[in-house]
Amino acid sequence: MKRNLQEELTHIRIMMERSTRFLSLSGWAGIMAGIYASIGAYYARKLIYNSASIEIYFDIKDGSMSKGLLYLLAIATGVFLLSMATALYTCSRTAKKSGEKLFTPAALKMLYNMAIPFITGGVLSIILILKGLMGLVAPITLIFYGLSLVIASHYTYRNIKVLGILEVALGLLAACYQGYGLFFWTLGFGVLHILYGTLMYLKYKQ
Amino acid sequence: MKQYFKDLDKAFDNKIRLGIMSVLMVNEYVSFNELKQWMSLTDGNLASHLKYLEKVDYISINKSFLGRKPNTKYRATKLGKNAFKKHVNALEKILKGGKHNDVT
């Protein structure tokens, strides 16, 4: 009798978690996103410091996109798309392993709520670039990404909130130290992702 | 410890009904298909347990149409939520009591 009742309580907890949280998050998604971001940052750095770098910042002011800036945007877009594709792939593998679908109602709720700060940050970054305020892009992307992670933590593993807060803190620091945007960006999107992904992998084995 | 056994709710002595109620405690409302997916059940099996819970007024059903598809939403009623809380409380008290007995 006693064991039965214990099972009942466990069953209740499992059903509550399963119906409200997206638990197919894979540590590999974080690790790979971090690696892509680091590689992207390496090429961006090369581009900025090796070529006629100043152009990247000043061409835009008279309304023309410089080649260098377009390269930078292409790198950023590439890192973003690769990260998303990898996350989709690794998370669907995790979901399959535990016999669940990837897009559960909880997963959709998470994505929908994350999208609000995420898209706001993205659009704001584009506006800033078009206005020639490149220096604000690193802090803005870090801060808004961090905020979307804090929101996501309500719909998936709670500990992702820590990652979100660290990203926001890095973003604020990046705003204080103008000119070190790429450095903070690499820390936030590269190093932190790899660290969090590894911890996540070790903890949940997924 | 024994007095808590009478607080255990008959409606929840079935694992499926307990599962449905657990889900409805933490979600404002859920659809039939969501429930089916979480509990990996067949339509008929799930429907009969939902009917039971509706009969005792623990859940309410809201039928509407999304385009042409029927879209049925289930919510826990206040009565159902209180019954569930009482049931879980009793479970916990019994388990605590059981542990105590093991020691002595």
Side-chain angles (χ1 to χ4, degrees):
Chain A
M1 186 68 191
K2 201 181 112 199
R3 224 182 97 204
N4 242 337
L5 296 180
Q6 185 64 56
E7 249 171 43
E8 263 188 50
L9 277 179
T10 315
H11 182 60
I12 290 170
R13 204 179 47 89
I14 290 173
M15 289 312 300
M16 286 180 168
E17 290 258 321
R18 187 181 291 175
S19 64
T20 47
R21 285 178 189 276
F22 170 67
L23 299 177
S24 305
L25 202 61
S26 163
W28 279 109
I31 296 171
M32 292 312 291
I35 291 173
Y36 300 145
S38 305
I39 295 173
Y42 170 77
Y43 280 107
R45 199 189 143 78
K46 243 172 116 178
L47 198 75
I48 293 173
Y49 290 99
N50 287 5
S51 63
S53 61
I54 308 295
E55 279 172 34
I56 289 173
Y57 290 99
F58 290 101
D59 269 17
I60 197 129
K61 279 195 174 151
D62 33 86
S64 66
M65 285 257 183
S66 74
K67 233 181 183 177
L69 183 70
L70 282 179
Y71 278 136
L72 276 187
L73 289 180
I75 291 173
T77 314
V79 166
F80 174 70
L81 290 179
L82 262 176
S83 304
M84 293 303 271
T86 308
L88 266 179
Y89 173 72
T90 52
C91 292
S92 70
R93 223 181 40 174
T94 311
K96 212 178 259 173
K97 256 187 216 157
S98 50
E100 292 215 22
K101 284 186 189 154
L102 177 60
F103 290 110
T104 56
L108 293 175
K109 222 186 267 172
M110 179 183 87
L111 288 175
Y112 173 73
N113 284 291
M114 269 181 95
I116 299 166
F118 197 87
I119 292 173
T120 309
V123 172
L124 182 57
S125 303
I126 293 170
I127 294 172
L128 290 174
I129 291 173
L130 293 177
K131 296 225 176 238
L133 296 165
M134 276 293 277
L136 286 175
V137 171
I140 291 287
T141 45
L142 282 166
I143 289 169
F144 279 82
Y145 176 63
L147 291 177
S148 69
L149 287 184
V150 171
I151 290 180
S153 72
H154 295 290
Y155 305 96
T156 178
Y157 293 100
R158 288 175 185 85
N159 56 22
I160 208 167
K161 191 182 251 176
V162 179
L163 178 63
I165 289 170
L166 287 175
E167 301 279 5
V168 171
L170 272 181
L172 292 174
L173 272 176
C176 296
Y177 296 97
Q178 289 282 311
Y180 293 90
L182 195 59
F183 168 73
F184 285 107
W185 202 88
T186 314
L187 267 186
F189 287 102
V191 179
L192 278 187
H193 271 150
I194 295 173
L195 268 177
Y196 179 79
T198 311
L199 288 176
M200 170 103 197
Y201 179 79
L202 292 175
K203 191 167 177 192
Y204 302 104
K205 298 271 172 285
Q206 64 184 36
Chain B
M1 163 186 168
K2 249 183 205 150
Q3 74 268 24
Y4 295 117
F5 274 99
K6 70 171 174 25
D7 283 340
L8 289 178
D9 200 314
K10 261 224 173 115
F12 302 137
D13 66 7
N14 174 288
K15 210 176 169 186
I16 295 169
R17 291 198 290 269
L18 188 73
I20 295 171
M21 215 52 206
S22 310
V23 169
L24 288 176
M25 287 300 286
V26 288
N27 290 280
E28 195 189 343
Y29 56 81
V30 295
S31 71
F32 190 85
N33 283 333
E34 286 167 1
L35 276 174
K36 211 173 84 179
Q37 192 187 329
W38 288 322
M39 318 207 32
S40 12
L41 289 171
T42 59
D43 283 17
N45 202 355
L46 179 57
S48 72
H49 287 296
L50 284 168
K51 207 158 271 171
Y52 182 110
L53 288 172
E54 191 196 2
K55 225 183 207 169
V56 292
D57 271 334
Y58 283 5
I59 63 173
S60 66
I61 297 180
N62 187 350
K63 281 185 186 168
S64 64
F65 280 85
L66 240 179
R68 278 185 167 182
K69 275 194 220 156
N71 182 33
T72 312
K73 283 174 182 162
Y74 300 89
R75 289 169 200 271
T77 60
K78 209 160 206 173
L79 184 73
K81 282 185 178 172
N82 287 336
F84 185 85
K85 279 180 200 155
K86 207 171 147 197
H87 182 77
V88 172
N89 262 337
L91 278 180
E92 280 171 344
K93 292 238 167 78
I94 292 167
L95 283 167
K96 252 187 214 156
K99 241 178 223 162
H100 187 70
N101 282 356
D102 285 347
V103 177
T104 50

